[in-house]
């Protein structure tokens, strides 16, 4: 059965000397985010060709669930406080659609 959901695709480009730290912090952020009520999936991948490039795939029940994600303490501490200062750049894309939850 298909359900409507909210998909987030983020691209993080880590500062060269921060790549390993960002990878570890993303693991902690993923673990905490998966405990959120509206979170359906949280996966991240590191590029084989460019180890400083991470792609994060997040799925929420709806846009409000993603908005709530950004208010959790683990997001403020890990994402804003620890990960973002270690990045050269980031882009975030959001989509609504149907698919397997």
């Amino acid at each position: 059965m298909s359900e409507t959901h909210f998909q987030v695709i983020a691209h993080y480009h880590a500062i060269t000397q921060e790549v390993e730290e960002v990878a570890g912090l993303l693991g902690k952020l993923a673990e905490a985010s998966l405990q959120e009520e509206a979170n359906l999936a949280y996966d991240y991948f590191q590029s084989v060709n460019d180890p400083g490039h991470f792609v994060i795939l997040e799925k929420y029940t709806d846009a409000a669930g993603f908005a709530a994600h950004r208010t959790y303490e683990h997001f403020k501490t890990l994402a804003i406080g620890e990960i973002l200062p270690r990045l050269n750049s980031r882009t975030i894309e959001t989509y609504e659609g149907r698919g397997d939850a």
Side-chain angles (χ1 to χ4, degrees):
M1 178 178 202
S2 293
E3 292 185 23
T4 300
H5 62 270
F6 192 79
Q7 181 74 50
V8 178
I9 303 172
H11 293 265
Y12 285 7
H13 296 272
I15 297 167
T16 302
Q17 52 274 44
E18 299 288 351
V19 170
E20 291 304 316
E21 187 69 20
V22 169
L25 290 165
L26 281 172
K28 292 178 183 179
L29 183 59
E31 185 178 324
S33 298
L34 286 166
Q35 303 306 309
E36 298 171 21
E37 184 177 339
N39 184 280
L40 301 172
Y42 193 110
D43 297 301
Y44 65 96
F45 304 88
Q46 188 173 16
S47 172
V48 173
N49 298 319
D50 177 6
H53 181 191
F54 296 88
V55 176
I56 299 112
L57 305 176
E58 305 171 55
K59 188 185 293 185
Y60 297 89
T61 54
D62 53 24
F66 177 59
H69 165 68
R70 293 173 160 220
T71 68
Y72 281 97
E73 191 60 36
H74 59 264
F75 181 82
K76 293 175 185 176
T77 302
L78 294 169
I80 296 172
E82 297 288 334
I83 296 172
L84 292 186
R86 292 177 164 88
L87 302 181
N88 284 317
S89 65
R90 72 177 175 142
T91 58
I92 299 171
E93 304 167 14
T94 56
Y95 303 88
E96 287 187 316
R98 299 182 84 63
D100 294 330

